[in-house]
Amino acid sequence: MSETPAFIEPPSLGVDRALTNAATLAAEGLSVRFSGLLAISDVTIRQARHEILGLIGPNGAGKTTLVNCLTGFQKPSEGRVMLGDEDTAGWSAARFRAHGIARTFQAGRLFKDMTVAENVEVTGVGLGLGLKAAREHAMAMLGWIGLADKARAKAGTLAYTDQRRLGIARALVLSPAFILLDEPAAGMSDAECEELMTLVSAIPKTFTSGVLLIEHNMRVVMGISHRVQVLDGGKTLAEGLPAEIQKHEAVMAAYLGMEA
Amino acid sequence: MRDFLIRHQTPALLVAGLVVVTVLGVLTGNETVQVTLTEMFIRLVVVVGLWVFIGNSGIISFGHIGFMGVGAYAAAWASAEPGFKQIMLSGLPVFLQENQYPFAFAIIGATLLPALVALLLGIALMRLAGTAASIATFAVLMIVNSVYANWDSVTAGSSSIIGIPTVVGPWVAVGFAAGAVVTAYLFQVSRLGLMLRASRDDEVAARASAVEVKRMRLVAFVLSAAIAGAGGGLYAQFLGILTIDPFYLGLTFITLAMLVVGGMSSLSGAVAGVFAVTIIVELLRIAERGVSLGALDLGLPLGSQEIGLGVLMALILIFRPNGLSNGRELVWPGAAPAAKAPAGRTLSPELTGDAAPSP
């Protein structure tokens, strides 16, 4: 492995292939109903490339449902998800990824019985790379994220924070236009959160991706987000710069107040 | 050459093992041993075919013995004596009725027809999630059985098709077994195999990794039906006489038992399971026959075979749930690629499941 300092050089892709030219990922008037229960109602969100957008809200606010809609895992009951000018209605989750919309999962969801390297290779192969190119790209990604020495270990044997990092590496294969991180800091210590913040803030520059960051840890969200949107009860409660949100009264009442 | 063999040592070792067993079996000159070996290799073809789907997708299929039956009948239609076909199988197309095709042609038919059936059924079946898909494959088995048992003009219904040339002996069977092993291995390490194994570990994450899971499952389903069908073709040209009865629950159970005993998640496990179960079944069969000591007949009661197999499966599930292979592939001791060995040793499968909290 080459000793490139982490987070400076983008991993060599070995291929020159843009998944999409779209500059924005947007949900317009999105509602999702689960047998009568409204999980989210009339939510509009707009994510630009190169931007870190924080998405916060109390448990049950509909954050994960929104992410599921934005990545093809949940069909909206009303409204639409637009990638640039394209309506994504009817796209499979795999097609979302093929068009450059990647995500991670709260539970990690690694391929536990496969090696660390294979976990990353799968995405490359899924995106159309040959085995050899996918393997080379996977090793570059692992080098970048600091897991190269564990490439041959089974993913299930990794330490918790390493599993989180592997999930992110897997999602960043071939520089997606957008990456949606679902509570990446959950269960991490303060020091580990610091590392994660460095890593996430490097993503827009290194991979030219927009980052949608769902997170409960306020220090992380407020520390690295360019903009923050607040969901409560399935609706958008507020939207603005981190400093504005921290002073927003309705937000403090609904959410931040509980933390104090 | 050496690097090539080390990289692909698993199929190389498995094939070498099969050849060694065949040579030893043929050297005994014992008819019974050779028949047993031939039968075992035919089952190996079927079980390896079954593994291509089950092992890589993680979805149990109860339908593959149906595909084996479809393959067996395809071979019989091609190779049975025209005289018999014209009288008993008058519903067959004329080109099949009037000609007797050679073994190679019969086997191609035995591979393609089940693949086609699997493709048509699979388009519907693969839309179902794991357990529902398994149950639906069981329906496939029943449908094949009832169609073939009743479609008198092409299958001779409940009577037998006779006059099929018996050209399959231990060498032909082991050739196909080796071919099945190599095909299954190539699929396992291919792009498709990698994507399918990912979906076995976590379907949702596989979809998020741009894997079209249903499509991958369909490809594996068709390939595995083709291999199982080839096994059926071998079976027809080994016995020379064919009815639909053997292609039902008994064989479905025994082939799945072979996979469970050997370990479903590795190709070496599938092969090991065929050997282990065949040995146990043969020993019990000998014990059932019993030995005579003067006036005394010592032997196990009939049915011990089935009970013995059930006990073996229960023991495996209790003490070694991942099968004899424990989910690993066969590698030459010490000659494993350097980087692979430590990974194997640090593995602690018991602990890994609890490392991350589930949602």
Side-chain angles (χ1 to χ4, degrees), chain A residues 1-26:
Chain A
M1 282 320 102
S2 63
E3 287 292 314
T4 11
F7 316 142
I8 295 174
E9 285 288 314
S12 133
L13 298 182
V15 273
D16 186 20
R17 185 162 172 280
L19 300 172
T20 179
N21 296 317
T24 56
L25 173 65

Side-chain angles (χ1 to χ4, degrees), chain A:
Chain A
M1 282 320 102
S2 63
E3 287 292 314
T4 11
F7 316 142
I8 295 174
E9 285 288 314
S12 133
L13 298 182
V15 273
D16 186 20
R17 185 162 172 280
L19 300 172
T20 179
N21 296 317
T24 56
L25 173 65
E28 296 170 359
L30 214 60
S31 298
V32 174
R33 212 171 280 115
F34 295 119
S35 54
L37 184 76
L38 216 51
I40 52 176
S41 74
D42 198 23
V43 171
T44 292
I45 192 169
R46 203 173 179 77
Q47 161 93 58
R49 282 184 93 152
H50 308 283
E51 177 196 44
I52 300 181
L53 172 59
L55 183 64
I56 62 173
N59 285 326
K63 303 182 298 287
T64 296
T65 306
L66 179 59
V67 167
N68 285 344
C69 286
L70 288 169
T71 49
F73 282 91
Q74 172 71 51
K75 302 265 170 279
S77 313
E78 277 154 46
R80 51 186 194 164
V81 174
M82 301 289 293
L83 176 63
D85 302 330
E86 269 187 289
D87 193 338
T88 63
W91 287 17
S92 67
R95 186 154 176 210
F96 270 80
R97 181 62 181 89
H99 280 76
I101 305 170
R103 68 170 297 179
T104 65
F105 295 91
Q106 272 182 41
R109 286 192 174 274
L110 298 180
F111 308 125
K112 288 199 187 105
D113 288 337
M114 299 171 81
T115 66
V116 169
E118 280 177 326
N119 265 265
V120 185
E121 282 168 40
V122 168
T123 312
V125 166
L127 291 170
L129 296 187
L131 277 175
K132 193 158 171 284
R135 199 164 295 146
E136 280 165 11
H137 186 61
M139 290 315 293
M141 286 299 310
L142 291 175
W144 180 78
I145 212 152
L147 288 172
D149 54 331
K150 304 195 173 74
R152 293 245 179 206
K154 295 259 161 142
T157 64
L158 286 185
Y160 183 62
T161 50
D162 284 347
Q163 294 200 10
R164 284 303 165 97
R165 285 199 289 171
L166 178 55
I168 295 175
R170 189 171 70 174
L172 282 171
V173 166
L174 289 189
S175 302
F178 303 97
I179 176 167
L180 291 74
L181 303 173
D182 200 349
E183 301 196 17
M188 284 190 177
S189 70
D190 283 356
E192 289 161 349
C193 280
E194 287 294 332
E195 262 185 90
L196 180 77
M197 286 164 73
T198 318
L199 189 152
V200 173
S201 16
I203 291 174
K205 261 196 214 109
T206 315
F207 298 91
T208 70
S209 317
V211 180
L212 183 67
L213 176 64
I214 300 183
E215 192 42 73
H216 276 304
N217 185 322
M218 283 305 132
R219 208 165 56 87
V220 173
V221 182
M222 297 304 172
I224 58 175
S225 298
H226 303 140
R227 207 154 55 85
V228 175
Q229 184 159 346
V230 188
L231 286 188
D232 186 27
K235 294 192 171 92
T236 300
L237 185 65
E239 198 222 312
L241 299 173
E244 295 168 1
I245 294 296
Q246 279 168 303
K247 291 192 202 112
H248 199 286
E249 278 181 19
V251 176
M252 311 232 320
Y255 187 40
L256 298 178
M258 303 189 309
E259 296 243 312

Side-chain angles (χ1 to χ4, degrees), chain B residues 17-38 40-41 170-171:
Chain B
L18 294 178
V19 171
V20 168
V21 169
T22 315
V23 169
L24 292 177
V26 171
L27 280 181
T28 62
N30 182 328
E31 186 76 16
T32 319
V33 169
Q34 297 193 19
V35 167
T36 307
L37 271 186
T38 309
M40 181 176 79
F41 291 140
W171 284 112

